[in-house]
Structure formats: C-alpha cells, structure tokens
Amino acid sequence: MTETYELYAVRYGHHDRTASHNFIGGDPHDGPMPLDYFVWAIVGENRTFVLDTGFDAAMASRRKRTLLRPVEEGLRVIGIEPDSVKDEILSHLHFDHCGNHGLFPNARYHLQDVEMAYCTGRCMCHEFLKVPFELSDVTDMVGKVFAGRVTFHDGVSEIAPNLIVHRVGGHSRGLQVVRVLTRRGWVVLGSDAAHFYANFEQRRPFPVLESVADVLEGFETMYRLASSPDHIIPGHDPLVLKYYPAATPGVSDIVRLDAVPTGRAATGRSR
Ligand SMILES: [Zn+2]
Ligand SMILES: [Zn+2]
C-alpha cells in the first residue's frame, strides 16, 4: 500500500508587523501584515515526524514575539507526546525554528550539511546574516552532533517512504523544504522558503535572506514538487489557519493540511 501521511500545522506564536517588513523593497500599500509561528506534524501509519521545534517563552521575550501556546501543548492537542517523537526535521536553524532544545529527548535531528556549516562559519561574521540565529541554538546543535543525534542530508533525501527533504537555500543557505504524500497528493511544507502566500505567488522575496536568486529558484522548486499551487504551505502566513479545517473542534489554530483548502483560489504560475 502506498504510504500517505496526515499533516498538521500547529501555531504557537505571533508577531505584529506591517507589510513593508515582509518584502524586499517594502510594500506600496503598507498596512498590518502579521506573522504567525508554526511547527508542523507529519503523522504516518507507524511513525510521526515533527518539522521544526519553535521557540520557548524565554526566547519569545528576548525577541519580543508572542508565545501563544507552548509547542509541547499544541502537539499534545493532536495526540503527540514530545517524548515519543523519534524524528525531528529542522528546516533551518533560525531562532524561531530550532529552539526548545530539550523538548524531544528521544529524537534524531535531520539537518542539511550546508546549514550547519553556514551558521558556524564565516558568514556569521556579518551582522546582517547572523541576526536570525541565536548562539545558544547553534551551540546546542553542535552538542547534538557530538552526541550522535543528528542525521545530515545533502540536497535531496528520502527520510521515509514518500517523505523527502529538498534543500533550496536562499532564505538561509541550508534551508530545506519537505515534500510529503497525503491523501490529496504531494504537499510541500515550505517553511521559510516562503513566509507568506504573497511571497511566492508574486515572486517577491521576504527580506531576510542569503541569496535572492536562490529564494526565487526555491519558489519554482516548490511549484515543481507540489501537486498544485494549493499544495504549497508557506511558513508564517496567518491565512493558513483560514484556508484549512481545524484538526480538533474548537481549536482554530491547529489545522489539517492534508485536507483540501477552502476559500482560496489557486494563483500563481504553476509550472
Ligand atoms: Zn528563517
Ligand atoms: Zn521563520
């Protein structure tokens, strides 16, 4: 039988800002355009994978973000006990994706070679490139490498049947997206390959990046890997919670991404 997965977006944080902060070159119609923060759960027949680990309360106050609900509590709402998670995929090592260091004591961490090299090397001498990283996150990950808890990937890697990571870089040099087969086809969890639908649909990159060219190529890669434009999931867009159904009645900020989205017409060039 072909293995498919249930997919969940679990919101844990929020940050109010305006549109000009979300596009290179700003935005002529500047108005409120907040960011939501998510982790994602990929639930198979026998194995559960979690994409990214979020940040905790201490990091939220340090970075002046709002922690709406601790990541572990959100996961428990959908029946995932962090202790039981064996595989944690890290899209990249920015502070909002790799905190909560002790939350998954039994997990292996899946990371791109290039991301580890990037955030421990000469690029961190540049303030512009260093800003989204936290030293404590990076040193913790070095510790996990030494503890034998990291599985490195180089480019494209199938980490389980029908669950494949693809390095796209751009936003961070070793950023990877996750392509996963669901009951509605191939979904691409883009993480920060696109913060918002508008970033990839309008080909307007988010201003935190390492390579404009690779961000733009990453948009095309996501279109190529997803079954349709509606199968691409941006990493920080509050609209995700509008388009997808609640995973549990009464909890509006944990949604099922393997369900068909409603209220949204697919836009953008598909191929
Ligand atoms: Zn990022
Ligand atoms: Zn992010």
Side-chain angles (χ1 to χ4, degrees):
M1 208 185 87
T2 306
E3 179 141 15
T4 60
Y5 297 84
E6 297 177 357
L7 267 189
Y8 300 85
V10 180
R11 183 174 69 162
Y12 70 90
H14 185 79
H15 183 52
D16 283 318
R17 53 163 70 197
T18 56
S20 61
H21 294 92
N22 296 331
F23 302 97
I24 285 181
D27 190 284
H29 313 289
D30 202 14
M33 191 174 181
L35 284 175
D36 275 341
Y37 294 85
F38 297 92
V39 298
W40 299 268
I42 306 163
V43 180
E45 191 88 350
N46 306 306
R47 278 166 87 179
T48 292
F49 300 79
V50 176
L51 172 61
D52 293 341
T53 58
F55 53 68
D56 62 11
M59 187 59 69
S61 78
R62 179 174 155 77
R63 291 273 181 164
K64 300 185 171 49
R65 267 60 172 175
T66 304
L67 181 70
L68 297 170
R69 182 205 294 113
V71 168
E72 61 270 29
E73 289 179 21
L75 290 174
R76 286 186 183 119
V77 168
I78 51 173
I80 297 172
E81 185 54 47
D83 278 8
S84 71
V85 174
K86 297 275 184 4
D87 293 278
E88 173 62 52
I89 304 167
L90 293 177
S91 63
H92 63 308
L93 296 182
H94 287 169
F95 78 94
D96 51 323
H97 296 263
C98 70
N100 288 307
H101 305 147
L103 190 54
F104 301 97
N106 300 307
R108 294 195 64 73
Y109 287 74
H110 296 267
L111 184 65
Q112 289 281 333
D113 288 318
V114 172
E115 186 67 1
M116 194 80 235
Y118 176 61
C119 70
T120 52
R122 68 189 294 150
C123 287
M124 296 303 102
C125 301
H126 301 294
E127 189 63 27
F128 178 86
L129 298 175
K130 186 177 70 176
V131 155
F133 292 96
E134 283 285 340
L135 176 61
S136 59
D137 291 334
V138 175
T139 55
D140 179 80
M141 194 51 55
V142 172
K144 288 188 168 83
V145 173
F146 274 68
R149 296 184 59 200
V150 177
T151 297
F152 282 103
H153 300 281
D154 181 14
V156 180
S157 187
E158 185 166 31
I159 64 177
N162 301 326
L163 199 176
I164 304 137
V165 295
H166 294 254
R167 186 184 69 238
V168 299
H171 166 73
S172 186
R173 191 171 286 174
L175 174 73
Q176 56 185 352
V177 302
V178 181
R179 182 182 192 230
V180 52
L181 190 61
T182 70
R183 58 187 161 140
R184 71 175 174 117
W186 289 100
V187 172
V188 173
L189 298 173
S191 185
D192 289 1
H195 285 57
F196 296 94
Y197 284 101
N199 292 125
F200 68 88
E201 289 178 348
Q202 301 169 21
R203 285 7 182 224
R204 295 164 68 204
F206 191 84
V208 174
L209 44 63
E210 181 263 338
S211 161
V212 171
D214 288 349
V215 169
L216 293 169
E217 289 296 327
F219 296 157
E220 304 309 320
T221 298
M222 290 198 291
Y223 279 112
R224 189 165 47 80
L225 296 176
S227 288
S228 86
D230 270 346
H231 289 71
I232 300 172
I233 312 297
H236 287 279
D237 200 329
L239 288 173
V240 168
L241 299 178
K242 263 184 77 177
Y243 294 150
Y244 290 92
T248 306
V251 182
S252 60
D253 64 353
I254 302 178
V255 295
R256 284 289 290 262
L257 303 174
D258 53 326
V260 174
T262 54
R264 125 165 251 275
T267 57
R269 300 187 301 274
S270 63
R271 295 285 142 102

